Structures are given as structure tokens and as C-alpha cells.
Short mmCIF file of all heavy atoms in Angstrom, two decimals:
data_model
loop_
_atom_site.label_atom_id
_atom_site.label_comp_id
_atom_site.label_asym_id
_atom_site.label_seq_id
_atom_site.Cartn_x
_atom_site.Cartn_y
_atom_site.Cartn_z
N ASP G 11 0.81 -1.22 0.00
CA ASP G 11 0.00 0.00 0.00
C ASP G 11 0.84 1.27 0.00
O ASP G 11 0.35 2.33 -0.39
CB ASP G 11 -0.93 0.02 1.21
CG ASP G 11 -2.05 -0.99 1.13
OD1 ASP G 11 -2.11 -1.74 0.14
OD2 ASP G 11 -2.87 -1.04 2.07
N ARG G 12 2.09 1.18 0.43
CA ARG G 12 2.95 2.35 0.53
C ARG G 12 3.91 2.48 -0.65
O ARG G 12 4.83 3.31 -0.61
CB ARG G 12 3.74 2.33 1.83
CG ARG G 12 2.86 2.32 3.07
CD ARG G 12 2.00 3.57 3.14
NE ARG G 12 1.18 3.60 4.35
CZ ARG G 12 0.30 4.53 4.64
NH1 ARG G 12 0.11 5.54 3.79
NH2 ARG G 12 -0.40 4.47 5.75
N TYR G 13 3.72 1.69 -1.69
CA TYR G 13 4.57 1.75 -2.88
C TYR G 13 3.88 2.52 -3.99
O TYR G 13 2.73 2.25 -4.32
CB TYR G 13 4.89 0.34 -3.38
CG TYR G 13 5.97 -0.37 -2.61
CD1 TYR G 13 5.70 -0.96 -1.39
CD2 TYR G 13 7.26 -0.45 -3.12
CE1 TYR G 13 6.69 -1.61 -0.68
CE2 TYR G 13 8.25 -1.11 -2.42
CZ TYR G 13 7.96 -1.69 -1.20
OH TYR G 13 8.94 -2.34 -0.51
N GLY G 14 4.62 3.47 -4.56
CA GLY G 14 4.20 4.02 -5.83
C GLY G 14 4.46 3.00 -6.91
O GLY G 14 5.46 2.29 -6.88
N MET G 15 3.56 2.91 -7.87
CA MET G 15 3.65 1.90 -8.91
C MET G 15 3.62 2.56 -10.29
O MET G 15 3.01 3.61 -10.47
CB MET G 15 2.49 0.91 -8.82
CG MET G 15 2.38 0.19 -7.49
SD MET G 15 3.72 -1.02 -7.24
CE MET G 15 3.31 -2.22 -8.51
N GLY G 16 4.27 1.91 -11.25
CA GLY G 16 4.29 2.45 -12.59
C GLY G 16 4.39 1.37 -13.65
O GLY G 16 4.76 0.23 -13.37
N TRP G 17 4.06 1.75 -14.87
CA TRP G 17 4.23 0.91 -16.04
C TRP G 17 5.23 1.57 -16.99
O TRP G 17 5.16 2.79 -17.23
CB TRP G 17 2.91 0.70 -16.79
CG TRP G 17 1.95 -0.22 -16.10
CD1 TRP G 17 0.90 0.13 -15.32
CD2 TRP G 17 1.95 -1.65 -16.17
NE1 TRP G 17 0.23 -0.98 -14.88
CE2 TRP G 17 0.86 -2.09 -15.39
CE3 TRP G 17 2.75 -2.59 -16.80
CZ2 TRP G 17 0.56 -3.45 -15.23
CZ3 TRP G 17 2.45 -3.93 -16.64
CH2 TRP G 17 1.37 -4.34 -15.87
N PHE G 18 6.12 0.76 -17.53
CA PHE G 18 7.08 1.19 -18.53
C PHE G 18 7.04 0.21 -19.69
O PHE G 18 6.52 -0.90 -19.56
CB PHE G 18 8.50 1.25 -17.96
CG PHE G 18 8.70 2.34 -16.94
CD1 PHE G 18 8.23 2.20 -15.64
CD2 PHE G 18 9.34 3.52 -17.29
CE1 PHE G 18 8.41 3.20 -14.70
CE2 PHE G 18 9.53 4.54 -16.35
CZ PHE G 18 9.06 4.38 -15.06
N ARG G 19 7.59 0.62 -20.83
CA ARG G 19 7.66 -0.28 -21.97
C ARG G 19 8.97 -0.09 -22.71
O ARG G 19 9.58 0.97 -22.66
CB ARG G 19 6.47 -0.08 -22.91
CG ARG G 19 6.43 1.27 -23.60
CD ARG G 19 5.12 1.43 -24.37
NE ARG G 19 5.06 2.68 -25.10
CZ ARG G 19 3.99 3.10 -25.76
NH1 ARG G 19 2.88 2.36 -25.77
NH2 ARG G 19 4.02 4.26 -26.41
N GLN G 20 9.38 -1.14 -23.41
CA GLN G 20 10.64 -1.10 -24.14
C GLN G 20 10.52 -1.91 -25.43
O GLN G 20 10.20 -3.09 -25.41
CB GLN G 20 11.78 -1.65 -23.28
CG GLN G 20 13.15 -1.47 -23.90
CD GLN G 20 14.26 -1.74 -22.91
OE1 GLN G 20 14.06 -2.41 -21.89
NE2 GLN G 20 15.44 -1.21 -23.18
N ALA G 21 10.78 -1.24 -26.54
CA ALA G 21 10.82 -1.88 -27.84
C ALA G 21 12.28 -2.18 -28.19
O ALA G 21 13.19 -1.54 -27.67
CB ALA G 21 10.19 -0.97 -28.89
N PRO G 22 12.52 -3.14 -29.10
CA PRO G 22 13.90 -3.47 -29.47
C PRO G 22 14.67 -2.26 -29.97
O PRO G 22 14.17 -1.49 -30.79
CB PRO G 22 13.71 -4.50 -30.59
CG PRO G 22 12.40 -5.13 -30.29
CD PRO G 22 11.55 -4.02 -29.76
N GLY G 23 15.87 -2.08 -29.44
CA GLY G 23 16.71 -0.97 -29.83
C GLY G 23 16.33 0.36 -29.23
O GLY G 23 16.96 1.38 -29.55
N LYS G 24 15.32 0.39 -28.37
CA LYS G 24 14.85 1.62 -27.76
C LYS G 24 15.11 1.62 -26.26
O LYS G 24 15.26 0.57 -25.64
CB LYS G 24 13.35 1.81 -28.00
CG LYS G 24 12.94 1.88 -29.46
CD LYS G 24 13.39 3.18 -30.09
CE LYS G 24 12.83 3.31 -31.50
NZ LYS G 24 13.22 4.61 -32.12
N GLU G 25 15.16 2.82 -25.70
CA GLU G 25 15.25 2.96 -24.25
C GLU G 25 13.92 2.61 -23.61
O GLU G 25 12.86 2.75 -24.22
CB GLU G 25 15.66 4.38 -23.88
CG GLU G 25 17.02 4.81 -24.36
CD GLU G 25 18.13 4.10 -23.64
OE1 GLU G 25 17.98 3.80 -22.44
OE2 GLU G 25 19.17 3.83 -24.26
N ARG G 26 13.99 2.17 -22.37
CA ARG G 26 12.77 1.93 -21.62
C ARG G 26 12.07 3.26 -21.37
O ARG G 26 12.69 4.21 -20.86
CB ARG G 26 13.10 1.22 -20.31
CG ARG G 26 11.89 0.74 -19.54
CD ARG G 26 12.29 -0.23 -18.43
NE ARG G 26 12.92 -1.42 -18.97
CZ ARG G 26 13.27 -2.47 -18.23
NH1 ARG G 26 13.05 -2.47 -16.93
NH2 ARG G 26 13.85 -3.52 -18.81
N GLU G 27 10.79 3.35 -21.72
CA GLU G 27 10.08 4.61 -21.61
C GLU G 27 8.91 4.52 -20.64
O GLU G 27 8.26 3.49 -20.50
CB GLU G 27 9.59 5.09 -22.99
CG GLU G 27 8.53 4.22 -23.62
CD GLU G 27 7.95 4.84 -24.88
OE1 GLU G 27 7.98 6.08 -25.02
OE2 GLU G 27 7.46 4.06 -25.74
N PHE G 28 8.63 5.64 -20.02
CA PHE G 28 7.54 5.77 -19.08
C PHE G 28 6.20 5.66 -19.79
O PHE G 28 6.01 6.22 -20.88
CB PHE G 28 7.65 7.12 -18.37
CG PHE G 28 6.44 7.49 -17.57
CD1 PHE G 28 6.19 6.91 -16.35
CD2 PHE G 28 5.55 8.44 -18.05
CE1 PHE G 28 5.08 7.26 -15.61
CE2 PHE G 28 4.44 8.79 -17.32
CZ PHE G 28 4.20 8.20 -16.10
N VAL G 29 5.26 4.96 -19.15
CA VAL G 29 3.90 4.84 -19.67
C VAL G 29 2.90 5.50 -18.72
O VAL G 29 2.13 6.38 -19.13
CB VAL G 29 3.51 3.37 -19.90
CG1 VAL G 29 2.05 3.26 -20.32
CG2 VAL G 29 4.42 2.73 -20.94
N ALA G 30 2.90 5.08 -17.46
CA ALA G 30 1.93 5.61 -16.50
C ALA G 30 2.39 5.30 -15.08
O ALA G 30 3.14 4.34 -14.85
CB ALA G 30 0.54 5.03 -16.73
N THR G 31 1.93 6.08 -14.12
CA THR G 31 2.21 5.82 -12.72
C THR G 31 0.98 6.15 -11.89
O THR G 31 0.12 6.92 -12.32
CB THR G 31 3.44 6.61 -12.23
OG1 THR G 31 3.80 6.18 -10.91
CG2 THR G 31 3.16 8.11 -12.21
N ILE G 32 0.92 5.57 -10.69
CA ILE G 32 -0.25 5.71 -9.83
C ILE G 32 0.19 5.81 -8.38
O ILE G 32 1.16 5.18 -7.96
CB ILE G 32 -1.22 4.53 -10.06
CG1 ILE G 32 -2.56 4.77 -9.36
CG2 ILE G 32 -0.60 3.21 -9.61
CD1 ILE G 32 -3.64 3.79 -9.82
N SER G 33 -0.55 6.62 -7.60
CA SER G 33 -0.22 6.84 -6.21
C SER G 33 -0.64 5.65 -5.34
O SER G 33 -1.27 4.71 -5.81
CB SER G 33 -0.90 8.11 -5.71
OG SER G 33 -2.31 7.98 -5.76
N TRP G 34 -0.30 5.73 -4.06
CA TRP G 34 -0.63 4.65 -3.12
C TRP G 34 -2.12 4.34 -3.11
O TRP G 34 -2.52 3.16 -3.13
CB TRP G 34 -0.22 5.03 -1.70
CG TRP G 34 1.23 5.27 -1.52
CD1 TRP G 34 2.27 4.75 -2.25
CD2 TRP G 34 1.83 6.09 -0.52
NE1 TRP G 34 3.47 5.20 -1.76
CE2 TRP G 34 3.22 6.02 -0.69
CE3 TRP G 34 1.32 6.88 0.51
CZ2 TRP G 34 4.11 6.71 0.12
CZ3 TRP G 34 2.21 7.57 1.33
CH2 TRP G 34 3.58 7.49 1.13
N SER G 35 -2.94 5.37 -3.06
CA SER G 35 -4.38 5.20 -2.96
C SER G 35 -5.04 4.94 -4.31
O SER G 35 -6.19 4.50 -4.36
CB SER G 35 -5.01 6.44 -2.34
OG SER G 35 -4.89 7.56 -3.19
N GLY G 36 -4.33 5.21 -5.40
CA GLY G 36 -4.91 5.14 -6.72
C GLY G 36 -5.59 6.41 -7.15
O GLY G 36 -6.09 6.49 -8.28
N ASP G 37 -5.60 7.42 -6.30
CA ASP G 37 -6.31 8.66 -6.57
C ASP G 37 -5.62 9.53 -7.61
O ASP G 37 -6.28 10.26 -8.34
CB ASP G 37 -6.48 9.44 -5.27
CG ASP G 37 -7.32 10.68 -5.42
OD1 ASP G 37 -8.47 10.56 -5.90
OD2 ASP G 37 -6.84 11.77 -5.08
N ALA G 38 -4.29 9.47 -7.66
CA ALA G 38 -3.52 10.31 -8.57
C ALA G 38 -2.84 9.45 -9.63
O ALA G 38 -2.21 8.45 -9.30
CB ALA G 38 -2.49 11.13 -7.81
N GLN G 39 -2.97 9.86 -10.89
CA GLN G 39 -2.40 9.12 -12.01
C GLN G 39 -1.71 10.08 -12.96
O GLN G 39 -2.17 11.21 -13.16
CB GLN G 39 -3.50 8.37 -12.77
CG GLN G 39 -4.33 7.44 -11.90
CD GLN G 39 -5.72 7.22 -12.45
OE1 GLN G 39 -5.93 7.37 -13.65
NE2 GLN G 39 -6.65 6.88 -11.59
N ILE G 40 -0.61 9.63 -13.55
CA ILE G 40 0.11 10.40 -14.55
C ILE G 40 0.35 9.51 -15.76
O ILE G 40 0.73 8.34 -15.61
CB ILE G 40 1.45 10.92 -14.01
CG1 ILE G 40 1.24 11.77 -12.75
CG2 ILE G 40 2.18 11.74 -15.07
CD1 ILE G 40 2.54 12.17 -12.07
N TYR G 41 0.15 10.06 -16.95
CA TYR G 41 0.31 9.30 -18.18
C TYR G 41 1.28 9.98 -19.13
O TYR G 41 1.36 11.21 -19.19
CB TYR G 41 -1.03 9.16 -18.90
CG TYR G 41 -2.07 8.39 -18.13
CD1 TYR G 41 -2.97 9.04 -17.30
CD2 TYR G 41 -2.14 7.01 -18.24
CE1 TYR G 41 -3.93 8.33 -16.59
CE2 TYR G 41 -3.09 6.29 -17.54
CZ TYR G 41 -3.99 6.96 -16.72
OH TYR G 41 -4.93 6.25 -16.02
N ALA G 42 2.00 9.17 -19.89
CA ALA G 42 2.78 9.71 -20.99
C ALA G 42 1.84 10.26 -22.05
O ALA G 42 0.73 9.75 -22.25
CB ALA G 42 3.66 8.62 -21.59
N ASP G 43 2.28 11.31 -22.74
CA ASP G 43 1.44 11.92 -23.76
C ASP G 43 1.02 10.93 -24.84
O ASP G 43 -0.08 11.02 -25.39
CB ASP G 43 2.17 13.10 -24.40
CG ASP G 43 2.28 14.30 -23.48
OD1 ASP G 43 1.52 14.37 -22.50
OD2 ASP G 43 3.13 15.17 -23.75
#
């Protein structure tokens, strides 16, 4: 419950990129454009 969580993705030959993250409660979310 006290961990911030996120999703990332990586295609071949590419850097790992941010996708989305979520707060402990799930109330706050941030997304890549």
C-alpha cells in the first residue's frame, strides 16, 4: 500500500520509456502523452 507503482515499456533498440504511474491510494495518475 505504501509503494508508488508504474508501467514502462521497451521496444527493441529503444530505451525503456515511461507509460503511467499511480499513487498509493490510486487517486492520482500520470500518463505519458
Side-chain angles (χ1 to χ4, degrees):
D11 290 1
R12 300 299 182 183
Y13 281 79
M15 302 289 293
W17 287 98
F18 292 77
R19 65 187 183 186
Q20 188 167 21
K24 300 289 187 178
E25 296 290 327
R26 189 166 298 185
E27 67 172 334
F28 169 76
V29 175
T31 188
I32 190 167
S33 63
W34 299 333
S35 67
D37 185 55
Q39 305 153 25
I40 303 173
Y41 297 92
D43 288 342

